[in-house]
Amino acid sequence: MTKTRLHRRLAITLGLSAAALLAVPQAWAQAYPSKSITIVVPFGAGSGTDQSARIYGQAIAEHLKVPVVVDNKGGASGFIAAQQVAKAAPDGYTLFMTTNTTQVANPHLFKKLPYDPVKDFTPIALLAKGQMLLLVQPNAPYQSLADLLAAARKTPGKLNFGSGSSSSQVAGELLKQMAGVNITNVPYKSNPQAITDLIGGQIDFMFADAPTAVPQVQGGKLRALAASGATRLGAAPDVPTVAEAGVKGYDMTFWFAIYGPAGLPPAIVQRLNEAFAKASEAPEVKGFQAKTSGEVTFSSPEALAQFQTAESKKWGEVIRAAGIQPE
């Protein structure tokens, strides 16, 4: 074989190899998914994130034609779940349904994290935004937020509040800072556990995400004194906002988003983004958000990355203003 013919054959072989490599992502997208998908949640069963994961999971299962399993890994401020997803294979079969807790608040609440909220994950889509309700027992002596704050000022350090997420913790700490009261945080693995102790009288009050809080209020197990956002909740229109109740300028909300491990192929990211976009339009998802006064806020992967950067800056400012020292 002459050198010229050999060079031609090598060039053809290399060209075919390059074409095959370029075709791999597309082949992945066409074959994906071929087995069940696991959505890891950093909070316990019954939490707002868990409820959202199950509602969305059902919707994308119908769209992608594969089973979707929700895996609750609560505790350690979301560290356990975040690490599990960060170490998972970037093949689209392990996803992370999480909130501002793991992705933007934790970096400002802890001196060292066992995961990187940016480098260890691939953004897929922002899903929804929501707010919290300030809850007390139905027979608590506080008929309003003003009553609660008055009691806190009368007996500094005596009243405590439960928190099962960074959102609920920061909401309480921000109230403490803006209202000028001395109250104590009691941390929990997730909000449903704190709810149980609040009903049982082990803690005095707490901020809980609307999906967790609204059923308790509607069932008469707890009473809401205020909503954490800038506007009242549609699911609890008679409950004033914290700002309306006397703490001017108070505004604290949270959000849900879906991520994959770092290195997730762009073709699979696009496939998942499309699946979650379809899920966001599903009647059961819209109904869930309407019932809990959540706001569907769907985004592209790129928009989620930009949103996360802006939110990290915002939460850092809130946490510093609240005087919370990193652990």
Side-chain angles (χ1 to χ4, degrees):
M1 184 181 294
T2 64
K3 287 185 177 180
T4 301
R5 290 178 63 189
L6 178 61
H7 289 163
R8 282 177 183 171
R9 181 169 291 183
L10 284 172
I12 291 170
T13 301
L14 290 172
L16 290 172
S17 298
L21 286 172
L22 288 171
V24 168
Q26 187 61 33
W28 278 348
Q30 290 174 349
Y32 175 85
S34 60
K35 60 180 182 179
S36 65
I37 296 170
T38 297
I39 298 179
V40 180
V41 173
F43 306 111
S47 63
T49 316
D50 170 70
Q51 293 179 57
S52 292
R54 294 181 189 280
I55 293 290
Y56 275 95
Q58 179 182 347
I60 67 166
E62 293 175 2
H63 178 70
L64 295 175
K65 309 302 181 187
V66 296
V68 174
V69 178
V70 174
D71 183 13
N72 297 97
K73 295 292 184 182
S77 297
F79 290 6
I80 299 170
Q83 285 180 284
Q84 178 177 329
V85 177
K87 294 176 181 178
D91 55 11
Y93 293 103
T94 302
L95 305 179
F96 194 29
M97 174 80 81
T98 191
T99 71
N100 39 271
T101 288
T102 60
Q103 304 308 97
V104 302
N106 280 353
H108 304 287
L109 293 172
F110 298 93
K111 293 178 181 178
K112 187 176 182 181
L113 294 181
Y115 67 93
D116 189 304
V118 175
K119 295 179 181 178
D120 287 344
F121 302 97
T122 300
I124 296 172
L126 177 66
L127 299 177
K129 297 178 182 178
Q131 56 174 302
M132 294 164 277
L133 288 175
L134 193 164
L135 305 171
V136 297
Q137 288 181 295
N139 59 352
Y142 325 112
Q143 297 303 311
S144 65
L145 177 59
D147 290 343
L148 178 67
L149 295 178
R153 294 187 180 103
K154 186 176 180 180
T155 55
K158 183 178 179 180
L159 293 189
N160 56 44
F161 68 96
S163 63
S165 70
S166 293
S167 296
S168 56
Q169 178 191 353
V170 174
E173 295 288 357
L174 186 61
L175 178 68
K176 174 181 177 178
Q177 187 264 336
M178 293 185 69
V181 293
N182 183 1
I183 52 180
T184 304
N185 177 40
V186 180
Y188 289 83
K189 287 185 177 181
S190 62
N191 278 339
Q193 291 177 320
I195 288 277
T196 299
D197 275 6
L198 179 58
I199 292 172
Q202 278 75 47
I203 53 178
D204 297 306
F205 73 97
M206 70 173 294
F207 281 93
D209 54 90
T212 305
V214 169
Q216 303 296 334
V217 174
Q218 292 177 339
K221 292 183 178 180
L222 292 171
R223 182 155 46 86
L225 298 185
S228 70
T231 59
R232 295 191 181 196
L233 277 172
D238 295 333
V239 178
T241 66
V242 174
E244 287 177 325
V247 186
K248 303 298 182 184
Y250 188 100
D251 183 9
M252 177 60 59
T253 57
F254 64 90
W255 47 267
F256 298 109
I258 191 78
Y259 294 80
L264 199 60
I268 291 182
V269 174
Q270 181 179 349
R271 183 92 167 94
L272 285 167
N273 184 270
E274 291 170 353
F276 276 94
K278 290 282 187 182
S280 294
E281 296 298 318
E284 59 269 27
V285 171
K286 285 189 170 182
F288 170 74
Q289 298 296 0
K291 185 173 68 174
T292 58
S293 299
E295 175 191 354
V296 176
T297 313
F298 194 79
S299 79
S300 67
E302 296 77 17
L304 172 55
Q306 295 169 1
F307 176 76
Q308 182 177 338
T309 298
E311 282 287 288
S312 182
K313 180 181 178 182
K314 170 187 168 183
W315 276 74
E317 291 171 351
V318 169
I319 289 168
R320 285 190 293 273
I324 303 173
Q325 296 301 314
E327 296 179 13

